[in-house]
Amino acid sequence: MTINVSDAGGRHRSPFRVLARRALALGGAGLVSVTGVVALSGSAHAAGSTLGAAAAGQGRYFGAAVAANHLGESGYATTLDTEFNAVTPENEMKWDAVEGTRNTFNFSNADQIVSHAQSKNMKVRGHTLVWHSQLPSWVSGLAAADLRTAMNNHITQVMTHYKGKIYAWDVVNEAFQDGSSGARRSSPFQDKLGNGFIEEAFTTARSVDPAAKLCYNDYNTDGVNAKSNAVYNMVKDFKARGVPIDCVGFQSHFNSNSPVPSDYQANLQRFADLGVDVQITELDIEGSGSAQATNYSNVVKACLAVTRCAGITVWGIPDKYSWRASGTPLLFDDNYGKKAAYTAALTALGGTSGGGTTDPGTGGGTDPGTGTKTCTATYTATQTWSGGFNGQVTIKAGSAAITGWSVKVTLGASQTTTGVWNGTTSWDSTGKVMTITPSYNGSLAAGASTSFGFTVQANGNTAAPAVSVCTAS
Ligand code: 9MR
């Protein structure tokens, strides 16, 4: 989420309250694939003993974000194929991945995921066509008229390549600001093309693949708040004026600073009432054990209680491959053992566990720590592709609790960054050194960790950026 710089801050502070009423009608519009993939369950397992089968029994899909470079790992592929009946390429369909150079398209990694999904009869969510992040610098450098041409061409080429194979596209991603303004986020598209870029993108998308559902997707819109109100008003306006839109994606990245909102179901319902499907598109919930399990259960129940909630996608399979692995936010542990959260999600879907290991979670003791405040910063390259890579820096508090941290990241020659998440960035005058401080994740118990990440456009230089010593406060 580009959650960039000011991301995922806790907007929803009230304790989660289940508002769920179980839906009586199970098959809302949009639950039947329009892509020719008829069966919702991709596996031969007994009805209800896997997430996908249990969701199918409720007229829903249950998907996972998938990375092409993990498909060769047997535990990964087996878990995907057994448990899920939908996929979203986690990074492989983003602009920088498919059109790093203008009008030169590279679909190889995304194709691997789509072929895999098709061979297992899984739905594919296309993610994403127009987004300010993971956007090559050639796009941001264009003047308005050329940018419009490039945007429409990108949509046209990518959707044509996958025509008939995509259940739903995230046509526009994360176009609104966080906070109380309800304003559009500044981006090359917004700044140069104005508010109309969103409807233009949807209109172009409809003309290319009329069978694909067209979604607007965002984060921090999961409860009723200024940002979701702004998206709501846009969708209402689109429906009133006949601008094509079929669905709204609620990313649902939750943690203690941004918990599952108490009005989650009510928020999904009010969008559904506008005449669009709602989809939970990037679900992950940091935590462990029974607290995490309860949150997962509540999210599943909220979806099932909204007839037009078409399905749920979790943002990864095992914790170790999560974009925020240190928060262990997913349903499977690093060895593909089923966590308590898995069992809770399956049970909420009306399924019954067919066995497997259950990881109760550690609960994580906290040491109040009284000594000097220290932290360490560890860099890992989490993803690489032809034009660049994603870096992640894990910040770990020493033997005392801290309330703030700061790390400098120095980019190599020719490198630029297109997005930073889970951190606030300030740049030095050379434009090469960014100082990252917390966006919401400054307070760490002794020994606890958090991470921030960034995307680097390599421009020919794939060397790891230099990460300075962590400074704690
Ligand atoms: O999970 C994705 C991670 O691997 C990438 O490094 C990151 C780069 O922007 O994007 C992550 O996925 C984001 C998604 O595309 C949009 N919503 C927020 C997700 C988490 O950051």
Side-chain angles (χ1 to χ4, degrees):
M1 81 182 58
T2 291
I3 287 184
N4 85 74
V5 295
S6 58
D7 166 30
R11 238 65 66 192
H12 316 294
R13 305 235 173 243
S14 42
F16 186 82
R17 178 165 54 96
V18 182
L19 299 176
R21 62 181 163 77
R22 298 300 286 258
L24 296 175
L26 294 174
L31 299 179
V32 176
S33 167
V34 289
T35 63
V37 179
V38 175
L40 278 160
S41 172
S43 77
H45 289 259
S49 68
T50 67
L51 297 166
Q58 304 280 5
R60 267 74 173 188
Y61 64 84
F62 204 100
V66 163
N69 62 341
H70 299 315
L71 285 172
E73 185 183 328
S74 66
Y76 187 90
T78 304
T79 307
L80 170 64
D81 296 348
T82 306
E83 292 290 343
F84 297 94
N85 57 13
V87 297
T88 305
E90 187 172 356
N91 289 296
E92 292 78 351
M93 284 184 179
K94 292 173 181 174
W95 198 317
D96 62 352
V98 298
E99 196 191 4
T101 302
R102 189 167 192 176
N103 232 3
T104 301
F105 288 86
N106 177 355
F107 293 113
S108 54
N109 291 338
D111 282 354
Q112 271 186 52
I113 298 175
V114 173
S115 314
H116 186 100
Q118 286 197 305
S119 73
K120 304 291 176 189
N121 215 11
M122 297 171 179
K123 285 179 186 293
V124 181
R125 294 195 77 264
H127 177 80
T128 175
L129 294 166
V130 181
W131 187 28
H132 63 277
S133 186
Q134 289 177 274
L135 187 66
S137 50
W138 70 261
V139 185
S140 15
L142 299 177
D146 213 6
L147 178 64
R148 167 169 285 119
T149 306
M151 179 184 85
N152 288 320
N153 182 58
H154 180 77
I155 295 169
T156 303
Q157 300 298 327
V158 178
M159 288 187 73
T160 300
H161 182 79
Y162 290 111
K163 191 168 178 173
K165 300 181 177 173
I166 304 292
Y167 159 69
W169 270 107
D170 289 332
V171 178
V172 175
N173 197 41
E174 301 175 5
F176 284 83
Q177 272 181 28
D178 287 325
S180 59
S181 70
R184 301 291 181 86
R185 175 197 294 276
S186 168
S187 72
F189 305 107
Q190 180 68 34
D191 300 348
K192 293 175 191 169
L193 307 182
N195 285 353
F197 90 87
I198 302 184
E199 65 189 87
E200 182 160 347
F202 275 85
T203 303
T204 302
R206 178 68 96 226
S207 72
V208 181
D209 185 356
K213 287 185 175 290
L214 306 181
C215 300
Y216 175 79
N217 188 51
D218 215 327
Y219 68 93
N220 280 349
T221 49
D222 312 300
V224 177
N225 57 36
K227 189 174 176 183
S228 67
N229 286 345
V231 175
Y232 179 88
N233 289 333
M234 177 187 76
V235 175
K236 190 173 178 188
D237 171 57
F238 279 14
K239 295 302 279 186
R241 291 191 295 114
V243 177
I245 184 165
D246 306 304
C247 37
V248 177
F250 298 84
Q251 293 185 8
S252 305
H253 293 290
F254 297 124
N255 59 24
S256 55
N257 291 302
S258 185
V260 184
S262 59
D263 51 9
Y264 189 54
Q265 181 191 321
N267 190 47
L268 297 177
Q269 186 66 59
R270 74 172 174 147
F271 277 86
D273 290 344
L274 291 175
V276 288
D277 284 357
V278 294
Q279 304 181 6
I280 296 172
T281 50
E282 304 182 13
L283 178 64
D284 54 15
I285 311 178
E286 291 192 49
S288 61
S290 61
Q292 184 181 45
T294 303
N295 282 328
Y296 264 102
S297 171
N298 288 338
V299 167
V300 169
K301 287 176 184 167
C303 177
L304 294 183
V306 174
T307 304
R308 290 198 73 155
C309 182
I312 298 173
T313 301
V314 286
W315 205 240
I317 302 174
D319 282 332
K320 64 183 173 182
Y321 296 143
S322 165
W323 68 295
R324 44 185 191 177
S326 60
T328 62
L330 296 172
L331 299 175
F332 294 89
D333 69 24
D334 293 355
N335 300 312
Y336 301 95
K338 296 168 178 172
K339 295 168 58 179
Y342 167 94
T343 309
L346 181 66
T347 306
L349 287 166
T352 346
S353 188
T357 55
T358 296
D359 166 10
T362 59
T366 48
D367 166 6
T370 50
T372 312
K373 293 177 176 182
T374 56
C375 57
T376 54
T378 314
Y379 173 80
T380 336
T382 49
Q383 248 118 16
T384 55
W385 56 92
S386 52
F389 55 92
N390 285 324
Q392 177 173 294
V393 175
T394 300
I395 309 288
K396 185 170 187 199
S399 56
I402 64 173
T403 54
W405 47 263
S406 167
V407 171
K408 276 190 176 41
V409 175
T410 306
L411 298 176
S414 80
Q415 294 177 342
T416 56
T417 177
T418 51
V420 175
W421 53 99
N422 290 350
T424 302
T425 314
S426 66
W427 289 92
D428 79 342
S429 56
T430 67
K432 282 288 175 196
V433 184
M434 48 179 180
T435 299
I436 316 283
T437 50
S439 49
Y440 64 90
N441 44 350
S443 292
L444 295 175
S449 32
T450 186
S451 61
F452 66 86
F454 49 90
T455 298
V456 174
Q457 300 296 328
N459 297 314
N461 178 7
T462 53
V467 175
S468 73
V469 168
C470 187
T471 308
S473 55

